[in-house]
Amino acid sequence: IARVRSQQQYGYLLAYRQEMDMPVAAAGFRMGQSLSWGRYLYVDDLVTLPTHRSRGHGAALLSWLESFAVKHNCEQLHLGSGFQRKDAHRFYEREGFKSVAYHFHKVLVP
């Protein structure tokens, strides 16, 4: 919760889906702007409880995020996914996403 609260100071937002008054899927996202992407919405987190997968929650969240992005004048919708997440990649491709880049990171030690 502390990490979410900290991220909210920088524009991080949460959307979720529920069944029987219980959250079963959530998306954490933020909007930004860059030279290469223009105004964009970036999905930092997209999770569904394992017991609730393949019920349309992820697709519904992505559809909602796309509408939200368009409403807020975003030109693109982006997300990242680890190489090992093959099932997630197939899902994203079914939802119209294209794999267009590698993402690199480096852990910094103070």
Side-chain angles (χ1 to χ4, degrees), residues 18-47:
Q18 63 184 34
E19 280 186 10
M20 309 281 288
D21 296 326
M22 181 181 86
V24 295
F29 63 99
R30 58 194 157 88
M31 290 180 286
Q33 191 159 334
S34 70
L35 290 175
S36 59
W37 296 346
R39 186 159 170 78
Y40 64 88
L41 186 147
Y42 193 90
V43 181
D44 290 291
D45 308 292
L46 181 62
V47 296

Side-chain angles (χ1 to χ4, degrees), residues 81-93:
S81 182
F83 287 122
Q84 76 282 7
R85 301 193 63 224
K86 303 295 186 201
D87 290 340
H89 301 164
R90 283 190 292 276
F91 167 70
Y92 297 139
E93 288 169 354

Side-chain angles (χ1 to χ4, degrees), residues 23-106:
V24 295
F29 63 99
R30 58 194 157 88
M31 290 180 286
Q33 191 159 334
S34 70
L35 290 175
S36 59
W37 296 346
R39 186 159 170 78
Y40 64 88
L41 186 147
Y42 193 90
V43 181
D44 290 291
D45 308 292
L46 181 62
V47 296
T48 301
L49 290 175
T51 55
H52 289 74
R53 291 187 181 142
S54 298
R55 295 187 189 180
H57 295 297
L61 277 171
L62 285 176
S63 178
W64 183 88
L65 288 164
E66 185 173 338
S67 296
F68 184 91
V70 168
K71 181 179 176 182
H72 289 87
N73 302 312
C74 294
E75 301 170 48
Q76 298 186 26
L77 177 61
H78 286 261
L79 58 82
S81 182
F83 287 122
Q84 76 282 7
R85 301 193 63 224
K86 303 295 186 201
D87 290 340
H89 301 164
R90 283 190 292 276
F91 167 70
Y92 297 139
E93 288 169 354
R94 279 194 314 267
E95 295 302 314
F97 285 79
K98 304 282 186 240
S99 178
V100 296
Y102 286 106
H103 176 89
F104 296 92
H105 86 280
K106 181 177 183 180

